[in-house]
Amino acid sequence: MQKTIKQTACCTGISITGQTYTTVTFQPAPPDTGIIFIREDLPGKPEVPCRPEYARVDARWTSLVNNDIRIEHTEHLLAAIAGLGLDNLKVSLNCPFIPVVSSFSSKDFVQTFLKAEPILQDVPKRYFSVQEPVCIANSFFHQEKRYDRFLLALPAPELTLTYLLDYPAKEIPTQLAQFTFDSSFDFASELATARSYITESEYDTVVKLIGKSIEDCLVIAKGPINLQWANEPARHKVLDLLGDIYTLGRPINGHFIGIRTGHKDNNQLCHQLKTQIKEDLFHDSPRQTPVR
């Protein structure tokens, strides 16, 4: 069945640009509402639905943009929403930015939602299922050598996310993370706390972009690093992938496999997948799908 929260809750943190503090307020919403973002700071309090046609990547994060109304840095919040199986929420912002929380992970969002008490609603979930394979292939250059990156979406009866992290210069050892989001998977303990990271070579570039919020970012440098898991960087890539594909606006069934990919590839895949979504899946009665 569809799910919302029982009571209103808030979460506060620094903006991803490091320039201000921001608060998001989560409110329950009726069945079939979806995830609706509301810019409380603008005249008329305009709304931006979580829909694939509004998703875009302009920097190192994902945003939703509708008629120049921006919701910035959506991936970690949407990952928390997807990981807890929430379908219907109103998310109010006091500025364009969703806050950075818990070292760029989803931990604080998850804790906030759990305190707000997720509750079932009396309408079946409406899943989007990958109907046919989609492949996104791109490339990049490192030290004048070309490397390829791939993102695949395959039909599957439930959601599985696989990520192969493979840096050409091996600043981080090659590692794999894979999770199937079935009834036995504990998102809060296995994925929500996976921290965002940058490599030491990226530091100067990134600090110009995100300023003070760099303090919340895990920096991978030479020498021992206190990781929660040996493959924590790959797990965070899975977290990002989960949040980005939830810009499709509904629970998803399919097997997604990323190799060296990032937000731009995830966004490109979602725009490809939206062609498989019939408009009536957004507007008509929900199809009867077994509850996971």
Side-chain angles (χ1 to χ4, degrees), residues 151-172:
L151 183 57
L152 305 175
L154 304 172
E158 55 196 358
L159 178 62
T160 296
L161 301 181
T162 302
Y163 192 88
L164 177 67
L165 185 148
D166 183 37
Y167 279 77
K170 303 303 179 186
E171 299 102 323
I172 303 173

Side-chain angles (χ1 to χ4, degrees), residues 46-285:
E47 298 182 352
V48 180
C50 184
R51 295 279 297 270
E53 57 264 39
Y54 301 142
R56 58 194 288 179
V57 178
D58 298 319
R60 293 176 65 101
W61 59 83
T62 301
S63 304
L64 295 169
V65 184
N66 183 18
N67 294 327
D68 295 326
I69 307 301
R70 302 185 65 91
I71 310 296
E72 302 273 2
H73 183 216
T74 59
E75 60 269 20
H76 302 145
L77 173 56
L78 288 180
I81 291 171
L84 294 178
L86 298 173
D87 301 277
N88 305 299
L89 285 173
K90 291 187 176 181
V91 183
S92 297
L93 293 80
N94 63 352
C95 75
F97 297 98
I98 293 171
V100 172
V101 298
S102 48
S103 299
F104 285 88
S105 75
S106 296
K107 178 182 176 182
D108 289 359
F109 294 132
V110 168
Q111 292 178 342
T112 300
F113 287 134
L114 292 178
K115 290 179 181 178
E117 300 181 60
I119 56 171
L120 293 175
Q121 298 172 294
D122 59 356
V123 175
K125 280 185 180 287
R126 299 192 300 160
Y127 288 95
F128 164 63
S129 294
V130 177
Q131 300 297 316
E132 56 188 42
V134 177
C135 178
I136 300 298
N138 291 307
S139 62
F140 62 96
F141 285 86
H142 179 76
Q143 297 180 351
E144 299 183 351
K145 185 177 180 180
R146 172 179 162 162
Y147 294 86
D148 294 319
R149 60 184 196 262
F150 300 95
L151 183 57
L152 305 175
L154 304 172
E158 55 196 358
L159 178 62
T160 296
L161 301 181
T162 302
Y163 192 88
L164 177 67
L165 185 148
D166 183 37
Y167 279 77
K170 303 303 179 186
E171 299 102 323
I172 303 173
T174 298
Q175 52 190 247
L176 179 73
Q178 176 172 296
F179 300 98
T180 296
F181 292 74
D182 56 19
S183 59
S184 66
F185 178 63
D186 187 349
F187 172 78
S189 64
E190 292 294 330
L191 198 56
T193 62
R195 297 168 292 176
S196 184
Y197 67 91
I198 59 171
T199 61
E200 189 175 33
S201 62
E202 296 176 295
Y203 186 91
D204 290 341
T205 300
V206 176
V207 75
K208 293 177 182 178
L209 183 64
I210 68 174
K212 185 179 178 181
S213 60
I214 194 75
E215 298 171 4
D216 292 310
C217 196
L218 176 65
V219 180
I220 305 293
K222 294 180 180 179
I225 300 171
N226 185 23
L227 297 176
Q228 298 176 82
W229 307 274
N231 68 342
E232 184 174 3
R235 289 189 189 220
H236 186 81
K237 287 290 192 177
V238 171
L239 188 74
D240 281 346
L241 177 57
L242 176 64
D244 284 345
I245 63 176
Y246 205 72
T247 59
L248 289 167
R250 62 177 60 251
I252 304 153
N253 290 327
H255 188 176
F256 295 79
I257 304 170
I259 303 172
R260 297 188 179 129
T261 47
H263 293 301
K264 290 184 178 179
D265 308 286
N266 301 343
N267 182 251
Q268 188 178 348
L269 178 68
C270 287
H271 281 273
Q272 290 279 348
L273 286 174
K274 75 180 182 181
T275 65
Q276 297 186 21
I277 304 175
K278 295 181 180 179
E279 190 65 21
D280 61 357
L281 289 182
F282 283 114
H283 298 295
D284 291 350
S285 299

